[in-house]
C-alpha cells in the first residue's frame, strides 16, 4: 500500500490522505490552464550522470501523468531539483538555489499563482527532515526510489500540505520505464543498468542515499538501447555505481551460476554472490545491437575485474566498445586504502593496471582521487602523487575529502586533516595529474583519431568538437572534407558523424587537429 511507502509524512491531513480520504481543497487561484495533478514542470539537475538519468526517469513518469515540460523558470508551476549529496559543496549549491527560489515563490504567492518546489534524489534521502522544515519552502521531497510516487506527492501538495517519500527499495530499478531523453536529438545517451551500492567504502554516502545494489533485467536494458539506436543515438554509456558487479537475477534459469572469483589482492566486505547473468554477458549483448553505436560504461570497481578477464577481452575484440576504462583508485597509499575499505592494496591496483594495458593496447585510463582523507599523512599523500606519475591517467576526477554523516568514516575515523592542507594536497594532485595527462595526450600528436562529432565548439563558431575512443575532447575546424564511403561531393561534419582527425597539438584535457574525412565506425575498424 502507498501508505507504507511513505517514509516521512508531515501533517495530519496528509496521513488522512494516505488512508484514502480526500486531500483537501486546492490552493486558491491556480492558473486556469493548470488542473490539480497537472501543470508545467521545470527540472534542474545537479551532480553525476546517474542524476541525469534519474531526471529522465522522473520526467517520463510525470509526462505520462499529464504534466508538460518548460525550460523557462518563470513559466513553471512545479520546480524540481534533482540533487547530489556526495560532498558538502554539492549540497551547498542546492541550499543557495533554494534561497534564490524563495523570492520567486513569494512573488508567485502574492500574485495568487502558487509555485510548488520539490527536492529529488540523494540530498532528499539524506536531509529529508531538514529540507521540509527549513523555512517551509519545499513542498515535496522524493528519494531516488520514489519517483513513481511523484504524481501522488504533487497531488497532495496541491492542498498546501508538504509531502514526502524517501523509502529506499530493495528491488526498484525502473526497468519498465523508458527514460525520456532530456537532450532531444542528442548523439549520446546514458542507460542505467543498476542502482545502489554494496561496497560500503568508509567515505561514501551512496549506500545510504541510493540503497542496496540491485540490477535491472538485461531484457529491459536491451530494449532501451535498441530504442536509442532507432532514434539515431551514436554512443551509449551504461551507468551504475559499480557496473562490473552487475547481476541479473530476473529469471530462474539465471540463478544457478557460480560466484566470480576475485583476483589476487582484492577483497569485499560482503560474501560472494552466486547466480545471475553478469556484466560480461550484458556488454556482449549490448555491443551486438548496433555496430555503429559506441558503448562505454561507468563506474566499475577495480575489485570486480576477475582474472578470467572476459570483460577486458570483449573491450579488446569489439570495435564498438570504447578502449577506455575508469579505474577509481581514490588513494595511492595502501594504509589509506585500507582505512577507506577499498578492498585492494596499491600493489594489487598497479598489477590490475598493467594487466589492463597488456590486454587492451592503447587503452585510455581515468580515475578518481580523494585528497586529505581521515588521518592521511604527508607520506600517504606522496604515495598518491607517485601513483599518478606511474600510471599517467588520461582523465582524472580529483576532490578534497568531505566528511559525510552516516558513513563508517563519520563514526569510526577522525577528519583530522586541516582544510588548508587538504586544499594544498588537492592542488598538488591536480598539478601532477595535468602534467602526466599532457604527456599522455602529446603521444597522440601526429596520429589519426576517430572522433564522434557532438556539435560546435563552445569557444569558436568556426570549430567543432567531439570525443575520441578514449573519451578525450577533440577540437577541429568546421570545414568541408571527403567522405570515405565514396560520396563524390565534399561534405561538412554534422553531430552524430564519425570523422577522422589528425592530431596536431595536445594539452592535459584537449586534443586539436585537422579533418581528414568522414567515415563510419565499422569502416574505421576494418582499416585499422
Amino acid at each position: 500500500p502507498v501508505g507504507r511507502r511513505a517514509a516521512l509524512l508531515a501533517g495530519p491531513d496528509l496521513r488522512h490522505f494516505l488512508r484514502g480520504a480526500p486531500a483537501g481543497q486546492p490552493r486558491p487561484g491556480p492558473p486556469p490552464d493548470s488542473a490539480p495533478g497537472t501543470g508545467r514542470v521545470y527540472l534542474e539537475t545537479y551532480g553525476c550522470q546517474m542524476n541525469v538519468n534519474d531526471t529522465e526517469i522522473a520526467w517520463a513518469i510525470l509526462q505520462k501523468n499529464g504534466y508538460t515540460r518548460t525550460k523557462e523558470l518563470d513559466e513553471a508551476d512545479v520546480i524540481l531539483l534533482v540533487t547530489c549529496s556526495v560532498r558538502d559543496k554539492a549540497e551547498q549549491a542546492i541550499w543557495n538555489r533554494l534561497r534564490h527560489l524563495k523570492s520567486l515563490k513569494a512573488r508567485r504567492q502574492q500574485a495568487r499563482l502558487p509555485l510548488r518546489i520539490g527536492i529529488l534524489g540523494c540530498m532528499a534521502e539524506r536531509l529529508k527532515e531538514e529540507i521540509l522544515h527549513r523555512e517551509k519552502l519545499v513542498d515535496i521531497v522524493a528519494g531516488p526510489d520514489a519517483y513513481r510516487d511523484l504524481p501522488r506527492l504533487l497531488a497532495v501538495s496541491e492542498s498546501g500540505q508538504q509531502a514526502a517519500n524517501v523509502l529506499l527499495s530493495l528491488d526498484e530499478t525502473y526497468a519498465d520505464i523508458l527514460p525520456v531523453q532530456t537532450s532531444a536529438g542528442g548523439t549520446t545517451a546514458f542507460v542505467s543498468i543498476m542502482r545502489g551500492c554494496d561496497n560500503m567504502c568508509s567515505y561514501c554516502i551512496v549506500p545510504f542515499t541510493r540503497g542496496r545494489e540491485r540490477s535491472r533485467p538485461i531484457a529491459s536494458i536491451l530494449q532501451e538501447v535498441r530504442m536509442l539506436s532507432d532514434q539515431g543515438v551514436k554512443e551509449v554509456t551504461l551507468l551504475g555505481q559499480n557496473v562490473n558487479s552487475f547481476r541479473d537475477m530476473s529469471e530462474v534459469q539465471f540463478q544457478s551460476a557460480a560466484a566470480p572469483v576475485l583476483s589476487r589482492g582484492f577483497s569485499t566486505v560482503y560474501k560472494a554472490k552466486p547466480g545471475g547473468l553478469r556484466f560480461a554477458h550484458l556488454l556482449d549483448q549490448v555491443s551486438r545491437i548496433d555496430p555503429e553505436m559506441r558503448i562505454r560504461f561507468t563506474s566499475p570497481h577495480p575489485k570486480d575485474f576477475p582474472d578470467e578477464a572476459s570483460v577486458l577481452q570483449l573491450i579488446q575484440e569489439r570495435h564498438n566498445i570504447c578502449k577506455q576504462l575508469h579505474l577509481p583508485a581514490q588513494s595511492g597509499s595502501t594504509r589509506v586504502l585500507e582505512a577507506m575499505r577499498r578492498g585492494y592494496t596499491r600493489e594489487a591496483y598497479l598489477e590490475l593496471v598493467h594487466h589492463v594495458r597488456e590486454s587492451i593496447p592503447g587503452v585510455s585510463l581515468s580515475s578518481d582521487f580523494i585528497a586529505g582523507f581521515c588521518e592521511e599523512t604527508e607520506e600517504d599523500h606522496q604515495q598518491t602523487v607517485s601513483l599518478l606519475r606511474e600510471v599517467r591517467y588520461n582523465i582524472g576526477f580529483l576532490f578534497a575529502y568531505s566528511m559525510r554523516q552516516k558513513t563508517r568514516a563519520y563514526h569510526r575515523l577522525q577528519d583530522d586533516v586541516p582544510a588548508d592542507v587538504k586544499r594544498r594536497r588537492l592542488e598538488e594532485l591536480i598539478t601532477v595529474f595535468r602534467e602526466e595527462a599532457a604527456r599522455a595526450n602529446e603521444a597522440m600528436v601526429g596520429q589519426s583519431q576517430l572522433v564522434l562529432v557532438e556539435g560546435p565548439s563552445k569557444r569558436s563558431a568556426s570549430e567543432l568538437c567531439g570525443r575520441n575512443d578514449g573519451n578525450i575532447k577533440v577540437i577541429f575546424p568546421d570545414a568541408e572534407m571527403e567522405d570515405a564511403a565514396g560520396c563524390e561531393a565534399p561534405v561538412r561534419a554534422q553531430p552524430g558523424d564519425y570523422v577522422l582527425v589528425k592530431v596536431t597539438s595536445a594539452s592535459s584535457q584537449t586534443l586539436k587537429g585537422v579533418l581528414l574525412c568522414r567515415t563510419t565506425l565499422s569502416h574505421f575498424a576494418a582499416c585499422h
Side-chain angles (χ1 to χ4, degrees), residues 196-211:
C197 185
D198 288 347
N199 289 321
M200 301 300 288
C201 299
S202 63
Y203 56 83
C204 188
I205 193 67
V206 167
F208 304 96
T209 59
R210 287 191 168 269

Side-chain angles (χ1 to χ4, degrees), residues 117 139 227 254 315 324:
I117 296 174
D139 301 282
M227 178 191 75
F254 301 165
I315 296 170
Q324 177 238 332

Side-chain angles (χ1 to χ4, degrees), residues 167-192:
L167 188 67
L168 288 173
S169 168
L170 291 174
D171 53 17
E172 179 63 271
T173 63
Y174 301 106
D176 59 320
I177 295 173
L178 289 176
V180 176
Q181 299 297 317
T182 50
S183 54
T187 60
T188 63
F190 296 88
V191 173
S192 175

Side-chain angles (χ1 to χ4, degrees), residues 206-223:
V206 167
F208 304 96
T209 59
R210 287 191 168 269
R212 299 299 298 273
E213 202 171 277
R214 62 270 188 205
S215 299
R216 184 176 164 189
I218 284 181
S220 78
I221 298 169
L222 298 180
Q223 179 190 5

Side-chain angles (χ1 to χ4, degrees), residues 449-451 453 476 481 493 497-501 515 517-519:
Q449 295 283 318
L450 182 69
V451 177
V453 181
F476 50 93
M481 61 185 164
D497 284 347
Y498 290 106
V499 296
L500 211 53
V501 175
L515 270 172
C517 65
R518 186 171 69 180
T519 185

Side-chain angles (χ1 to χ4, degrees), residues 6-17:
L8 179 65
L9 312 178
D13 288 351
L14 179 54
R15 287 193 291 273
H16 192 49
F17 174 83

Side-chain angles (χ1 to χ4, degrees), residues 51 89 98 208 250 268 324 335 341 377 425 432 440 464:
N51 281 1
K89 186 176 180 181
L98 286 174
F208 304 96
S250 63
T268 67
Q324 177 238 332
R335 194 188 71 81
R341 301 180 94 199
T377 65
R425 290 179 183 173
V432 172
L464 296 172

